[in-house]
Amino acid sequence: TEDTVKTGDTLIFRRGGGSTATTITLSGAVKLFAGETIYTGIKAGSSRFIGYPWPVEFDASTLQKYQTASAKGTPVFGANADQIWTYDSAKGWIKYFYRPGSSGYCENGKTVAVSIPVPAGQGFIFRRGGGGAEETITFTYPAK
């Protein structure tokens, strides 16, 4: 078969009894369910596409819980703050920055921390703030 697994769907394959082997070929943006997913080497001023590894909605505003270096923040949106970019088909790119005084991520142009819901099967872009230490983001099951 060449069935398509839609964005946000979960696929569980259970091999029936018997000794005959089979081959499953997966292609596209597929992440295996595992106890840990790590994004390493995110240097200051660089960006990385991040996909939450489990098929549930993720609140990207909690990202600092998963960062090994501390979140890099500034009072206003700019290149020196950690940023999260999500895409909305009607609005385009929505950009958030880490603001230490608000203890979270704020939408560009605002100063109040907000939730950043990322639907199951979608990802976001994380941009490491300039001058910040190299970042590693580690998602461990169960979620923090």
Side-chain angles (χ1 to χ4, degrees), residues 42-58:
I42 308 171
K43 297 180 179 175
S46 70
S47 299
R48 180 80 56 91
F49 179 81
I50 304 289
Y52 191 62
W54 298 287
V56 295
E57 183 175 278
F58 173 67

Side-chain angles (χ1 to χ4, degrees), residues 13-104:
F13 176 80
R14 183 182 180 279
R15 179 72 173 148
S19 60
T20 306
T22 190
T23 301
I24 297 176
T25 303
L26 303 174
S27 62
V30 176
K31 281 212 170 272
L32 297 175
F33 182 80
E36 187 173 77
T37 298
I38 303 171
Y39 295 89
T40 60
I42 308 171
K43 297 180 179 175
S46 70
S47 299
R48 180 80 56 91
F49 179 81
I50 304 289
Y52 191 62
W54 298 287
V56 295
E57 183 175 278
F58 173 67
D59 182 357
S61 70
T62 65
L63 191 64
Q64 67 269 21
K65 292 180 182 179
Y66 305 95
Q67 294 178 241
T68 54
S70 60
K72 175 86 168 111
T74 56
V76 296
F77 183 87
N80 286 329
D82 286 355
Q83 298 174 19
I84 293 173
W85 297 16
T86 61
Y87 189 78
D88 180 284
S89 59
K91 299 177 183 176
W93 288 104
I94 302 172
K95 299 176 184 179
Y96 304 87
F97 69 102
Y98 188 77
R99 185 171 191 267
S102 67
S103 300

